[in-house]
Amino acid sequence: VFVAEEDNHRISVFQTNGQFSHIIGKGRLGNPCDVTVTTNDQLLVADLNHHCIYTFTLDGNYVSKFATKGPGRSIGQLSYPCSLTTDLCGFILVGDAGDDHVSIFNKDGKFVHCFGSEDGKFNPYGIAYSPTGNIYVSDNGNKRVQIF
């Protein structure tokens, strides 16, 4: 079990019986607010204040980071990424609360596409992918869940 500890700047890892195992990202992460495990067993971390996605091995070794801070909607920039998930093909979906859209990256962290709002009327704060192919986005600013 991976727990994003935003105020402690780390990911705490627990065994399924609840026993503490280890810490990931201490000294590297700014404000991690969501985590997900990829189909190739890597841990992705959405870092709210560093405006990027970090990749770690499951035992905590740093692999890489992708995306940069900025308001770009077509070049993979992020502004307060606060949620992420992956789909069955390995695409990474990131809810970007600061830019009011969802960015999609391939499994290597290369920007593919984004969708959302340019007028601030979409505030993706949580995101989930269903086995049927739907993307569920909790739209915090509008107090609703949207299905794509």
Side-chain angles (χ1 to χ4, degrees):
V1 177
F2 300 93
V3 178
E5 293 189 57
E6 186 174 347
D7 292 334
N8 289 323
H9 317 287
R10 66 184 185 195
I11 306 299
S12 290
V13 183
F14 296 87
Q15 297 173 8
T16 55
N17 66 3
Q19 185 175 349
F20 175 78
S21 176
H22 61 281
I23 290 174
I24 295 175
K26 184 87 171 157
R28 181 176 298 274
L29 299 174
N31 292 90
C33 54
D34 199 11
V35 297
T36 193
V37 176
T38 67
T39 54
N40 61 343
D41 288 332
Q42 290 190 321
L43 182 72
L44 299 176
V45 180
D47 193 314
L48 190 69
N49 285 347
H50 286 172
H51 310 282
C52 66
I53 307 300
Y54 286 99
T55 306
F56 294 91
T57 62
L58 296 183
D59 58 358
N61 293 315
Y62 171 77
V63 175
S64 64
K65 74 174 187 173
F66 61 89
T68 58
K69 181 183 186 322
R73 294 176 179 272
S74 63
I75 55 175
Q77 294 179 326
L78 298 172
S79 177
Y80 302 107
C82 59
S83 58
L84 75 164
T85 191
T86 58
D87 69 10
L88 296 175
C89 296
F91 286 100
I92 302 160
L93 296 88
V94 180
D96 190 347
D99 278 340
D100 304 317
H101 69 275
V102 172
S103 287
I104 302 172
F105 298 87
N106 70 16
K107 64 183 177 181
D108 298 320
K110 303 293 185 222
F111 177 76
V112 176
H113 182 66
C114 70
F115 63 90
S117 172
E118 293 188 25
D119 58 8
K121 295 185 179 180
F122 179 64
N123 187 240
Y125 206 77
I127 190 166
Y129 181 81
S130 76
T132 59
N134 291 325
I135 301 168
Y136 294 86
V137 179
S138 65
D139 184 352
N140 189 46
N142 295 297
K143 300 179 182 12
R144 63 184 175 187
V145 174
Q146 293 194 53
I147 302 171
F148 298 93

mmCIF file of all heavy atoms in Angstrom, residues 61-107:
data_model
loop_
_atom_site.group_PDB
_atom_site.id
_atom_site.type_symbol
_atom_site.label_atom_id
_atom_site.label_comp_id
_atom_site.label_asym_id
_atom_site.label_seq_id
_atom_site.Cartn_x
_atom_site.Cartn_y
_atom_site.Cartn_z
ATOM 1 N N ASN A 61 13.692 3.243 -5.678
ATOM 2 C CA ASN A 61 14.765 3.860 -6.461
ATOM 3 C C ASN A 61 14.184 4.829 -7.488
ATOM 4 O O ASN A 61 13.261 4.495 -8.224
ATOM 5 C CB ASN A 61 15.599 2.797 -7.170
ATOM 6 C CG ASN A 61 16.374 1.952 -6.185
ATOM 7 O OD1 ASN A 61 16.972 2.470 -5.250
ATOM 8 N ND2 ASN A 61 16.338 0.641 -6.371
ATOM 9 N N TYR A 62 14.773 6.023 -7.540
ATOM 10 C CA TYR A 62 14.351 7.034 -8.498
ATOM 11 C C TYR A 62 14.688 6.571 -9.914
ATOM 12 O O TYR A 62 15.791 6.093 -10.167
ATOM 13 C CB TYR A 62 15.060 8.357 -8.195
ATOM 14 C CG TYR A 62 14.873 9.415 -9.248
ATOM 15 C CD1 TYR A 62 13.692 10.134 -9.335
ATOM 16 C CD2 TYR A 62 15.875 9.688 -10.165
ATOM 17 C CE1 TYR A 62 13.514 11.107 -10.304
ATOM 18 C CE2 TYR A 62 15.716 10.663 -11.134
ATOM 19 C CZ TYR A 62 14.536 11.373 -11.196
ATOM 20 O OH TYR A 62 14.356 12.322 -12.167
ATOM 21 N N VAL A 63 13.729 6.733 -10.838
ATOM 22 C CA VAL A 63 13.945 6.374 -12.242
ATOM 23 C C VAL A 63 14.016 7.622 -13.108
ATOM 24 O O VAL A 63 14.973 7.833 -13.831
ATOM 25 C CB VAL A 63 12.838 5.419 -12.751
ATOM 26 C CG1 VAL A 63 12.993 5.137 -14.235
ATOM 27 C CG2 VAL A 63 12.817 4.130 -11.945
ATOM 28 N N SER A 64 12.972 8.462 -13.046
ATOM 29 C CA SER A 64 12.924 9.642 -13.904
ATOM 30 C C SER A 64 11.792 10.556 -13.456
ATOM 31 O O SER A 64 11.044 10.240 -12.544
ATOM 32 C CB SER A 64 12.706 9.233 -15.361
ATOM 33 O OG SER A 64 11.435 8.617 -15.512
ATOM 34 N N LYS A 65 11.697 11.685 -14.159
ATOM 35 C CA LYS A 65 10.529 12.551 -13.990
ATOM 36 C C LYS A 65 10.155 13.087 -15.360
ATOM 37 O O LYS A 65 10.985 13.142 -16.271
ATOM 38 C CB LYS A 65 10.779 13.677 -12.997
ATOM 39 C CG LYS A 65 11.653 14.796 -13.489
ATOM 40 C CD LYS A 65 11.704 15.918 -12.457
ATOM 41 C CE LYS A 65 12.449 17.112 -13.030
ATOM 42 N NZ LYS A 65 12.382 18.260 -12.158
ATOM 43 N N PHE A 66 8.887 13.446 -15.521
ATOM 44 C CA PHE A 66 8.468 14.047 -16.785
ATOM 45 C C PHE A 66 7.457 15.146 -16.541
ATOM 46 O O PHE A 66 6.873 15.236 -15.476
ATOM 47 C CB PHE A 66 7.951 12.998 -17.780
ATOM 48 C CG PHE A 66 6.750 12.213 -17.338
ATOM 49 C CD1 PHE A 66 5.469 12.656 -17.596
ATOM 50 C CD2 PHE A 66 6.911 11.003 -16.685
ATOM 51 C CE1 PHE A 66 4.365 11.925 -17.204
ATOM 52 C CE2 PHE A 66 5.818 10.256 -16.291
ATOM 53 C CZ PHE A 66 4.544 10.714 -16.557
ATOM 54 N N ALA A 67 7.291 15.975 -17.552
ATOM 55 C CA ALA A 67 6.468 17.189 -17.562
ATOM 56 C C ALA A 67 7.236 18.312 -16.880
ATOM 57 O O ALA A 67 8.143 18.080 -16.087
ATOM 58 C CB ALA A 67 5.110 16.984 -16.914
ATOM 59 N N THR A 68 6.873 19.528 -17.227
ATOM 60 C CA THR A 68 7.502 20.710 -16.655
ATOM 61 C C THR A 68 6.420 21.692 -16.234
ATOM 62 O O THR A 68 5.277 21.596 -16.682
ATOM 63 C CB THR A 68 8.427 21.407 -17.680
ATOM 64 O OG1 THR A 68 7.660 21.751 -18.841
ATOM 65 C CG2 THR A 68 9.583 20.517 -18.077
ATOM 66 N N LYS A 69 6.791 22.651 -15.402
ATOM 67 C CA LYS A 69 5.829 23.642 -14.937
ATOM 68 C C LYS A 69 5.478 24.591 -16.075
ATOM 69 O O LYS A 69 6.334 25.041 -16.810
ATOM 70 C CB LYS A 69 6.415 24.442 -13.783
ATOM 71 C CG LYS A 69 5.453 25.487 -13.226
ATOM 72 C CD LYS A 69 6.113 26.283 -12.131
ATOM 73 C CE LYS A 69 5.218 27.232 -11.412
ATOM 74 N NZ LYS A 69 4.231 27.958 -12.079
ATOM 75 N N GLY A 70 4.209 24.878 -16.196
ATOM 76 C CA GLY A 70 3.784 25.854 -17.187
ATOM 77 C C GLY A 70 2.337 25.678 -17.552
ATOM 78 O O GLY A 70 1.706 24.683 -17.221
ATOM 79 N N PRO A 71 1.792 26.654 -18.235
ATOM 80 C CA PRO A 71 0.391 26.622 -18.606
ATOM 81 C C PRO A 71 0.114 25.961 -19.954
ATOM 82 O O PRO A 71 -0.984 26.059 -20.468
ATOM 83 C CB PRO A 71 0.025 28.107 -18.669
ATOM 84 C CG PRO A 71 1.284 28.743 -19.154
ATOM 85 C CD PRO A 71 2.413 27.942 -18.516
ATOM 86 N N GLY A 72 1.100 25.299 -20.517
ATOM 87 C CA GLY A 72 0.924 24.717 -21.851
ATOM 88 C C GLY A 72 -0.073 23.589 -21.889
ATOM 89 O O GLY A 72 -0.097 22.743 -21.012
ATOM 90 N N ARG A 73 -0.895 23.572 -22.908
ATOM 91 C CA ARG A 73 -1.886 22.519 -23.073
ATOM 92 C C ARG A 73 -1.501 21.548 -24.182
ATOM 93 O O ARG A 73 -2.132 20.534 -24.345
ATOM 94 C CB ARG A 73 -3.243 23.123 -23.389
ATOM 95 C CG ARG A 73 -3.790 23.910 -22.243
ATOM 96 C CD ARG A 73 -5.094 24.563 -22.626
ATOM 97 N NE ARG A 73 -5.592 25.299 -21.489
ATOM 98 C CZ ARG A 73 -6.355 24.780 -20.553
ATOM 99 N NH1 ARG A 73 -6.710 23.532 -20.619
ATOM 100 N NH2 ARG A 73 -6.754 25.500 -19.543
ATOM 101 N N SER A 74 -0.480 21.846 -24.928
ATOM 102 C CA SER A 74 -0.147 20.970 -26.048
ATOM 103 C C SER A 74 1.264 20.409 -25.974
ATOM 104 O O SER A 74 1.641 19.619 -26.795
ATOM 105 C CB SER A 74 -0.320 21.732 -27.368
ATOM 106 O OG SER A 74 0.572 22.817 -27.415
ATOM 107 N N ILE A 75 2.038 20.815 -24.987
ATOM 108 C CA ILE A 75 3.415 20.338 -24.941
ATOM 109 C C ILE A 75 3.744 19.611 -23.641
ATOM 110 O O ILE A 75 4.893 19.419 -23.313
ATOM 111 C CB ILE A 75 4.404 21.492 -25.182
ATOM 112 C CG1 ILE A 75 4.174 22.630 -24.190
ATOM 113 C CG2 ILE A 75 4.346 21.966 -26.606
ATOM 114 C CD1 ILE A 75 5.190 23.747 -24.292
ATOM 115 N N GLY A 76 2.740 19.220 -22.884
ATOM 116 C CA GLY A 76 2.971 18.412 -21.704
ATOM 117 C C GLY A 76 3.395 19.152 -20.464
ATOM 118 O O GLY A 76 3.993 18.571 -19.572
ATOM 119 N N GLN A 77 3.088 20.426 -20.382
ATOM 120 C CA GLN A 77 3.385 21.163 -19.169
ATOM 121 C C GLN A 77 2.261 20.958 -18.167
ATOM 122 O O GLN A 77 1.110 20.745 -18.544
ATOM 123 C CB GLN A 77 3.549 22.645 -19.472
ATOM 124 C CG GLN A 77 4.758 22.938 -20.336
ATOM 125 C CD GLN A 77 4.886 24.419 -20.643
ATOM 126 O OE1 GLN A 77 3.896 25.116 -20.789
ATOM 127 N NE2 GLN A 77 6.112 24.890 -20.734
ATOM 128 N N LEU A 78 2.597 21.029 -16.890
ATOM 129 C CA LEU A 78 1.611 20.846 -15.831
ATOM 130 C C LEU A 78 1.678 22.009 -14.850
ATOM 131 O O LEU A 78 2.729 22.598 -14.643
ATOM 132 C CB LEU A 78 1.871 19.542 -15.074
ATOM 133 C CG LEU A 78 1.771 18.252 -15.881
ATOM 134 C CD1 LEU A 78 2.239 17.063 -15.050
ATOM 135 C CD2 LEU A 78 0.352 18.036 -16.381
ATOM 136 N N SER A 79 0.545 22.292 -14.253
ATOM 137 C CA SER A 79 0.456 23.311 -13.217
ATOM 138 C C SER A 79 -0.437 22.759 -12.114
ATOM 139 O O SER A 79 -1.651 22.763 -12.231
ATOM 140 C CB SER A 79 -0.116 24.601 -13.795
ATOM 141 O OG SER A 79 -0.267 25.563 -12.785
ATOM 142 N N TYR A 80 0.168 22.225 -11.088
ATOM 143 C CA TYR A 80 -0.507 21.589 -9.959
ATOM 144 C C TYR A 80 -1.196 20.280 -10.333
ATOM 145 O O TYR A 80 -2.405 20.134 -10.188
ATOM 146 C CB TYR A 80 -1.474 22.557 -9.273
ATOM 147 C CG TYR A 80 -0.785 23.806 -8.788
ATOM 148 C CD1 TYR A 80 -0.978 25.021 -9.434
ATOM 149 C CD2 TYR A 80 0.100 23.748 -7.718
ATOM 150 C CE1 TYR A 80 -0.309 26.159 -9.009
ATOM 151 C CE2 TYR A 80 0.770 24.883 -7.288
ATOM 152 C CZ TYR A 80 0.553 26.080 -7.942
ATOM 153 O OH TYR A 80 1.222 27.198 -7.521
ATOM 154 N N PRO A 81 -0.409 19.304 -10.797
ATOM 155 C CA PRO A 81 -0.982 17.976 -11.051
ATOM 156 C C PRO A 81 -1.347 17.320 -9.713
ATOM 157 O O PRO A 81 -0.492 17.200 -8.835
ATOM 158 C CB PRO A 81 0.154 17.225 -11.748
ATOM 159 C CG PRO A 81 1.396 17.877 -11.230
ATOM 160 C CD PRO A 81 1.035 19.323 -11.022
ATOM 161 N N CYS A 82 -2.599 16.971 -9.557
ATOM 162 C CA CYS A 82 -3.013 16.473 -8.246
ATOM 163 C C CYS A 82 -3.572 15.056 -8.286
ATOM 164 O O CYS A 82 -3.904 14.503 -7.241
ATOM 165 C CB CYS A 82 -4.007 17.431 -7.614
ATOM 166 S SG CYS A 82 -5.483 17.687 -8.586
ATOM 167 N N SER A 83 -3.691 14.465 -9.447
ATOM 168 C CA SER A 83 -4.204 13.092 -9.516
ATOM 169 C C SER A 83 -3.672 12.414 -10.769
ATOM 170 O O SER A 83 -3.342 13.077 -11.747
ATOM 171 C CB SER A 83 -5.733 13.090 -9.520
ATOM 172 O OG SER A 83 -6.235 13.840 -10.606
ATOM 173 N N LEU A 84 -3.566 11.091 -10.708
ATOM 174 C CA LEU A 84 -3.134 10.353 -11.886
ATOM 175 C C LEU A 84 -3.595 8.905 -11.810
ATOM 176 O O LEU A 84 -3.881 8.377 -10.737
ATOM 177 C CB LEU A 84 -1.621 10.439 -12.085
ATOM 178 C CG LEU A 84 -0.705 9.616 -11.189
ATOM 179 C CD1 LEU A 84 0.678 9.554 -11.836
ATOM 180 C CD2 LEU A 84 -0.564 10.233 -9.840
ATOM 181 N N THR A 85 -3.668 8.294 -12.987
ATOM 182 C CA THR A 85 -4.013 6.887 -13.129
ATOM 183 C C THR A 85 -3.442 6.413 -14.455
ATOM 184 O O THR A 85 -2.939 7.215 -15.242
ATOM 185 C CB THR A 85 -5.536 6.672 -13.051
ATOM 186 O OG1 THR A 85 -5.825 5.283 -12.928
ATOM 187 C CG2 THR A 85 -6.252 7.231 -14.281
ATOM 188 N N THR A 86 -3.513 5.117 -14.687
ATOM 189 C CA THR A 86 -3.113 4.573 -15.989
ATOM 190 C C THR A 86 -4.271 3.783 -16.568
ATOM 191 O O THR A 86 -5.149 3.317 -15.847
ATOM 192 C CB THR A 86 -1.887 3.646 -15.860
ATOM 193 O OG1 THR A 86 -2.199 2.583 -14.963
ATOM 194 C CG2 THR A 86 -0.680 4.407 -15.354
ATOM 195 N N ASP A 87 -4.260 3.636 -17.890
ATOM 196 C CA ASP A 87 -5.276 2.811 -18.526
ATOM 197 C C ASP A 87 -4.679 1.446 -18.856
ATOM 198 O O ASP A 87 -3.516 1.167 -18.559
ATOM 199 C CB ASP A 87 -5.884 3.501 -19.746
ATOM 200 C CG ASP A 87 -4.934 3.649 -20.923
ATOM 201 O OD1 ASP A 87 -3.831 3.049 -20.902
ATOM 202 O OD2 ASP A 87 -5.292 4.350 -21.877
ATOM 203 N N LEU A 88 -5.471 0.590 -19.479
ATOM 204 C CA LEU A 88 -5.026 -0.773 -19.760
ATOM 205 C C LEU A 88 -3.903 -0.847 -20.791
ATOM 206 O O LEU A 88 -3.172 -1.832 -20.847
ATOM 207 C CB LEU A 88 -6.215 -1.623 -20.219
ATOM 208 C CG LEU A 88 -7.309 -1.819 -19.174
ATOM 209 C CD1 LEU A 88 -8.498 -2.563 -19.771
ATOM 210 C CD2 LEU A 88 -6.777 -2.527 -17.953
ATOM 211 N N CYS A 89 -3.741 0.199 -21.598
ATOM 212 C CA CYS A 89 -2.666 0.233 -22.597
ATOM 213 C C CYS A 89 -1.391 0.869 -22.053
ATOM 214 O O CYS A 89 -0.393 0.947 -22.756
ATOM 215 C CB CYS A 89 -3.127 0.998 -23.832
ATOM 216 S SG CYS A 89 -4.492 0.207 -24.689
ATOM 217 N N GLY A 90 -1.423 1.353 -20.822
ATOM 218 C CA GLY A 90 -0.250 1.958 -20.220
ATOM 219 C C GLY A 90 -0.177 3.473 -20.326
ATOM 220 O O GLY A 90 0.785 4.080 -19.869
ATOM 221 N N PHE A 91 -1.198 4.105 -20.929
ATOM 222 C CA PHE A 91 -1.206 5.561 -20.993
ATOM 223 C C PHE A 91 -1.401 6.121 -19.586
ATOM 224 O O PHE A 91 -2.115 5.545 -18.767
ATOM 225 C CB PHE A 91 -2.302 6.080 -21.923
ATOM 226 C CG PHE A 91 -1.986 5.881 -23.374
ATOM 227 C CD1 PHE A 91 -2.536 4.822 -24.066
ATOM 228 C CD2 PHE A 91 -1.131 6.747 -24.042
ATOM 229 C CE1 PHE A 91 -2.239 4.617 -25.406
ATOM 230 C CE2 PHE A 91 -0.829 6.551 -25.383
ATOM 231 C CZ PHE A 91 -1.383 5.480 -26.063
ATOM 232 N N ILE A 92 -0.779 7.258 -19.322
ATOM 233 C CA ILE A 92 -0.822 7.900 -18.015
ATOM 234 C C ILE A 92 -1.719 9.124 -18.123
ATOM 235 O O ILE A 92 -1.480 10.009 -18.957
ATOM 236 C CB ILE A 92 0.595 8.300 -17.573
ATOM 237 C CG1 ILE A 92 1.497 7.063 -17.539
ATOM 238 C CG2 ILE A 92 0.561 9.007 -16.230
ATOM 239 C CD1 ILE A 92 2.983 7.380 -17.580
ATOM 240 N N LEU A 93 -2.758 9.173 -17.307
ATOM 241 C CA LEU A 93 -3.704 10.283 -17.304
ATOM 242 C C LEU A 93 -3.476 11.103 -16.047
ATOM 243 O O LEU A 93 -3.477 10.557 -14.940
ATOM 244 C CB LEU A 93 -5.135 9.763 -17.339
ATOM 245 C CG LEU A 93 -5.520 8.991 -18.601
ATOM 246 C CD1 LEU A 93 -5.177 7.525 -18.456
ATOM 247 C CD2 LEU A 93 -6.980 9.158 -18.878
ATOM 248 N N VAL A 94 -3.287 12.412 -16.217
ATOM 249 C CA VAL A 94 -2.953 13.293 -15.104
ATOM 250 C C VAL A 94 -3.997 14.397 -14.994
ATOM 251 O O VAL A 94 -4.204 15.159 -15.942
ATOM 252 C CB VAL A 94 -1.554 13.922 -15.298
ATOM 253 C CG1 VAL A 94 -1.221 14.848 -14.129
ATOM 254 C CG2 VAL A 94 -0.493 12.849 -15.457
ATOM 255 N N GLY A 95 -4.635 14.485 -13.840
ATOM 256 C CA GLY A 95 -5.552 15.589 -13.556
ATOM 257 C C GLY A 95 -4.747 16.808 -13.132
ATOM 258 O O GLY A 95 -4.047 16.767 -12.126
ATOM 259 N N ASP A 96 -4.830 17.870 -13.910
ATOM 260 C CA ASP A 96 -4.043 19.079 -13.679
ATOM 261 C C ASP A 96 -4.979 20.190 -13.206
ATOM 262 O O ASP A 96 -5.621 20.863 -14.003
ATOM 263 C CB ASP A 96 -3.331 19.472 -14.968
ATOM 264 C CG ASP A 96 -2.314 20.568 -14.766
ATOM 265 O OD1 ASP A 96 -2.314 21.201 -13.693
ATOM 266 O OD2 ASP A 96 -1.517 20.801 -15.687
ATOM 267 N N ALA A 97 -5.050 20.370 -11.894
ATOM 268 C CA ALA A 97 -5.979 21.335 -11.306
ATOM 269 C C ALA A 97 -5.624 22.775 -11.663
ATOM 270 O O ALA A 97 -6.500 23.622 -11.781
ATOM 271 C CB ALA A 97 -6.023 21.164 -9.795
ATOM 272 N N GLY A 98 -4.345 23.062 -11.834
ATOM 273 C CA GLY A 98 -3.930 24.430 -12.148
ATOM 274 C C GLY A 98 -4.233 24.849 -13.569
ATOM 275 O O GLY A 98 -4.425 26.030 -13.844
ATOM 276 N N ASP A 99 -4.271 23.884 -14.487
ATOM 277 C CA ASP A 99 -4.531 24.197 -15.896
ATOM 278 C C ASP A 99 -5.905 23.748 -16.366
ATOM 279 O O ASP A 99 -6.215 23.843 -17.549
ATOM 280 C CB ASP A 99 -3.472 23.550 -16.794
ATOM 281 C CG ASP A 99 -2.209 24.371 -16.872
ATOM 282 O OD1 ASP A 99 -2.261 25.573 -16.571
ATOM 283 O OD2 ASP A 99 -1.166 23.808 -17.229
ATOM 284 N N ASP A 100 -6.712 23.212 -15.463
ATOM 285 C CA ASP A 100 -8.097 22.850 -15.778
ATOM 286 C C ASP A 100 -8.220 21.848 -16.913
ATOM 287 O O ASP A 100 -9.075 21.978 -17.787
ATOM 288 C CB ASP A 100 -8.923 24.105 -16.114
ATOM 289 C CG ASP A 100 -8.880 25.133 -15.006
ATOM 290 O OD1 ASP A 100 -8.996 24.733 -13.840
ATOM 291 O OD2 ASP A 100 -8.739 26.329 -15.305
ATOM 292 N N HIS A 101 -7.342 20.844 -16.920
ATOM 293 C CA HIS A 101 -7.455 19.819 -17.941
ATOM 294 C C HIS A 101 -6.822 18.510 -17.479
ATOM 295 O O HIS A 101 -6.179 18.441 -16.437
ATOM 296 C CB HIS A 101 -6.846 20.280 -19.264
ATOM 297 C CG HIS A 101 -5.362 20.417 -19.257
ATOM 298 N ND1 HIS A 101 -4.703 21.543 -18.837
ATOM 299 C CD2 HIS A 101 -4.386 19.541 -19.636
ATOM 300 C CE1 HIS A 101 -3.401 21.372 -18.950
ATOM 301 N NE2 HIS A 101 -3.175 20.161 -19.422
ATOM 302 N N VAL A 102 -7.035 17.479 -18.264
ATOM 303 C CA VAL A 102 -6.398 16.183 -18.065
ATOM 304 C C VAL A 102 -5.375 16.013 -19.179
ATOM 305 O O VAL A 102 -5.704 16.152 -20.354
ATOM 306 C CB VAL A 102 -7.431 15.032 -18.105
ATOM 307 C CG1 VAL A 102 -6.745 13.677 -18.098
ATOM 308 C CG2 VAL A 102 -8.402 15.160 -16.934
ATOM 309 N N SER A 103 -4.122 15.745 -18.795
ATOM 310 C CA SER A 103 -3.071 15.484 -19.777
ATOM 311 C C SER A 103 -2.866 13.979 -19.890
ATOM 312 O O SER A 103 -2.940 13.261 -18.891
ATOM 313 C CB SER A 103 -1.751 16.127 -19.347
ATOM 314 O OG SER A 103 -1.801 17.512 -19.505
ATOM 315 N N ILE A 104 -2.588 13.525 -21.094
ATOM 316 C CA ILE A 104 -2.333 12.112 -21.342
ATOM 317 C C ILE A 104 -0.908 11.967 -21.860
ATOM 318 O O ILE A 104 -0.500 12.671 -22.793
ATOM 319 C CB ILE A 104 -3.341 11.538 -22.352
ATOM 320 C CG1 ILE A 104 -4.764 11.732 -21.823
ATOM 321 C CG2 ILE A 104 -3.055 10.052 -22.608
ATOM 322 C CD1 ILE A 104 -5.846 11.377 -22.826
ATOM 323 N N PHE A 105 -0.161 11.060 -21.238
ATOM 324 C CA PHE A 105 1.221 10.776 -21.607
ATOM 325 C C PHE A 105 1.328 9.297 -21.961
ATOM 326 O O PHE A 105 0.570 8.475 -21.427
ATOM 327 C CB PHE A 105 2.166 11.077 -20.438
ATOM 328 C CG PHE A 105 2.168 12.511 -20.014
ATOM 329 C CD1 PHE A 105 1.249 12.974 -19.086
ATOM 330 C CD2 PHE A 105 3.094 13.406 -20.534
ATOM 331 C CE1 PHE A 105 1.253 14.304 -18.678
ATOM 332 C CE2 PHE A 105 3.108 14.735 -20.137
ATOM 333 C CZ PHE A 105 2.175 15.186 -19.209
ATOM 334 N N ASN A 106 2.276 8.947 -22.823
ATOM 335 C CA ASN A 106 2.501 7.531 -23.084
ATOM 336 C C ASN A 106 3.290 6.935 -21.918
ATOM 337 O O ASN A 106 3.689 7.659 -20.993
ATOM 338 C CB ASN A 106 3.154 7.284 -24.449
ATOM 339 C CG ASN A 106 4.596 7.734 -24.513
ATOM 340 O OD1 ASN A 106 5.266 7.985 -23.519
ATOM 341 N ND2 ASN A 106 5.106 7.838 -25.735
ATOM 342 N N LYS A 107 3.536 5.639 -21.970
ATOM 343 C CA LYS A 107 4.196 4.967 -20.839
ATOM 344 C C LYS A 107 5.622 5.448 -20.609
ATOM 345 O O LYS A 107 6.185 5.248 -19.536
ATOM 346 C CB LYS A 107 4.165 3.459 -21.025
ATOM 347 C CG LYS A 107 4.928 2.974 -22.224
ATOM 348 C CD LYS A 107 4.806 1.488 -22.395
ATOM 349 C CE LYS A 107 5.525 1.069 -23.664
ATOM 350 N NZ LYS A 107 5.425 -0.342 -23.891
#
